[in-house]
Amino acid sequence: MASEPDHWRGTEPLRVLAPDGTAVGDIDVGLAPDELRAMLRWMLLARRLDRECIALQRQGELTVYPGFEGQEAAQIGSATALGPEDFVFPTFRELAAALVRGVDPVQYLAYHRGTWHGGPYDPRATRFGPICIPVATQIVHAVGYAMGLALDGTRACSLAYFGDGSTSEGDFHEAANLAGVFSAPAILFCQNNGWAISVPTERQTAGEIFRRAEGYGFPGIRVDGNDVLAVYRTTREAAARAYAGDGPTLIEALTYRIGAHSTADDPGRYRVEDEVAAARAFDPIVRFRSWLESVGHIDGGVLADWEGEIESEVLAIRDGVIAQPAPPVEWMFDHTYADPPAAIAEQRAEVLGG
């Protein structure tokens, strides 16, 4: 058996399935067989689409793209656990969670194609916020939104995704403190994938991330982020706490970033291939599929049917992305100033020929 990634050392994470797909805990997370199968299908679709997006970037159809291979369980498990009124505040790496929340992937990828800042989908309809490139700023937004939910008496929560590098930012600590003081119905969901671009977890944080919650007065939980059932249960319980008025939860999901930080990055300059090969032994899809097969919830026929369906879905998304037209030039100047400065007005007139 391969060794666990280095950043998994320390406190044993909550786990339902062992890396080989055998049950090691209470396997009943409250989902029916068809719901369990749906989670695996989401994971398979997400991975196939993720790889297609990398190909699209290499072909010049996307400007830059941050892959998430290896993190499917962390995103699918957590997004599935949320209710329809809950609101997600993503980073720039949550395409899998966006799929679960009903975001049109073509519209989502408009951001990475460079045709729309933040994506043209409606955040209010999808309950999924715009893509956030600045590190950790969305955590503050999520806690503020959660406080608004509490003031309105709405039985819902917000969930902010972020990476381990974000926990070194001031915005993380300010948001966590605010959430603790005001008992905000928020879930702070850290996908600890081992690398903050080229900096390993142990070089950017000295302690275990989930323990930081204690200093802010609320629970922190460490979960195996490659175990989709454990992630689902942990997030579901955190949402229940939020709904009940018991405040925020910090979840540290231990996972591993198989690919580069983004297509603009070369991980070969700072990590060795043996590390990546070892991490593949903890593949979240292989683990979950193995268990579903062992209990008779899926078989080879179902998987074969899905393969064809998913391929068709991904190719349709690819065609949709490529077919997106360039936005009108005047949009570059719109929605920035109510009363544009003279210099901007001159530039607009020069570009548009007016």
Side-chain angles (χ1 to χ4, degrees):
M1 182 65 188
S3 299
E4 292 181 337
D6 287 346
H7 64 291
W8 288 25
R9 293 173 181 167
T11 301
E12 188 73 14
L14 296 176
R15 183 174 286 152
V16 173
L17 296 175
D20 64 359
T22 57
V24 293
D26 179 8
I27 203 68
D28 184 6
V29 299
L31 292 174
D34 61 332
E35 293 173 312
L36 295 168
R37 283 191 289 271
M39 283 209 297
L40 178 62
R41 194 181 186 286
W42 281 123
M43 294 169 74
L44 292 167
L45 173 61
R47 178 164 297 184
R48 176 65 185 86
L49 181 57
D50 183 57
R51 291 177 174 177
E52 187 65 28
C53 288
I54 292 173
L56 281 167
Q57 194 280 328
R58 297 308 189 208
Q59 294 161 12
E61 299 294 349
L62 299 180
T63 56
V64 66
Y65 176 76
F68 57 83
E69 182 166 341
Q71 300 180 217
E72 294 87 353
Q75 293 191 31
I76 301 295
S78 54
T80 303
L82 297 177
E85 295 302 317
D86 299 335
F87 203 106
V88 172
F89 290 80
T91 66
F92 46 80
R93 201 187 296 280
E94 272 77 49
L95 176 55
L99 292 172
V100 176
R101 297 298 288 178
V103 175
D104 181 343
V106 173
Q107 293 189 359
Y108 178 99
L109 291 168
Y111 180 89
H112 297 297
R113 190 166 170 77
T115 56
W116 194 286
H117 187 69
Y121 55 87
D122 184 350
R124 289 167 295 187
T126 59
R127 319 297 289 171
F128 192 91
I131 293 169
C132 182
I133 297 295
V135 177
T137 57
Q138 81 284 3
I139 309 173
V140 183
H141 303 159
V143 170
Y145 187 87
M147 292 172 64
L149 290 171
L151 290 171
D152 289 344
T154 303
R155 187 179 182 276
C157 68
S158 68
L159 182 147
Y161 287 109
F162 52 92
D164 43 295
S166 289
T167 64
S168 298
E169 295 286 341
D171 279 346
F172 166 79
H173 296 282
E174 292 159 14
N177 187 59
L178 194 69
V181 169
F182 288 96
S183 197
I187 301 173
L188 310 186
F189 193 97
C190 175
Q191 295 179 80
N192 184 349
N193 64 16
W195 290 90
I197 308 183
S198 60
V199 179
T201 302
E202 67 270 19
R203 292 287 303 279
Q204 62 88 24
T205 186
E208 294 176 318
I209 289 171
F210 78 100
R211 294 188 184 281
R212 295 183 175 183
E214 182 179 355
Y216 297 113
F218 55 88
I221 300 169
R222 198 176 219 203
V223 63
D224 186 332
N226 285 9
D227 179 350
V228 70
L229 296 182
V231 172
Y232 173 84
R233 171 178 286 156
T234 302
T235 310
R236 193 74 177 166
E237 291 175 354
R241 287 192 69 251
Y243 300 158
D246 293 332
T249 302
L250 170 63
I251 297 173
E252 179 190 8
L254 295 173
T255 181
Y256 188 85
R257 191 188 78 211
I258 294 294
H261 173 72
S262 78
T263 49
D265 177 41
D266 175 12
R269 296 172 65 90
Y270 53 81
R271 72 180 185 188
V272 297
E273 187 55 37
D274 286 350
E275 176 184 310
V276 182
R280 288 188 183 280
F282 298 88
D283 189 299
I285 294 180
V286 173
R287 182 187 310 197
F288 189 40
R289 183 178 62 204
S290 177
W291 176 74
L292 287 173
E293 289 175 327
S294 72
V295 295
H297 288 335
I298 60 166
D299 55 32
V302 170
L303 293 171
D305 289 344
W306 285 355
E307 185 175 359
E309 294 170 6
I310 289 171
E311 189 66 17
S312 296
E313 287 180 51
V314 170
L315 293 180
I317 294 167
R318 174 191 172 85
D319 290 345
V321 169
I322 293 174
Q324 288 184 92
V329 174
E330 57 265 32
W331 286 7
M332 188 164 52
F333 301 97
D334 292 344
H335 312 301
T336 302
Y337 295 99
D339 186 13
I344 298 298
E346 290 176 7
Q347 290 175 23
R348 189 179 196 279
E350 181 178 350
V351 170
L352 298 176

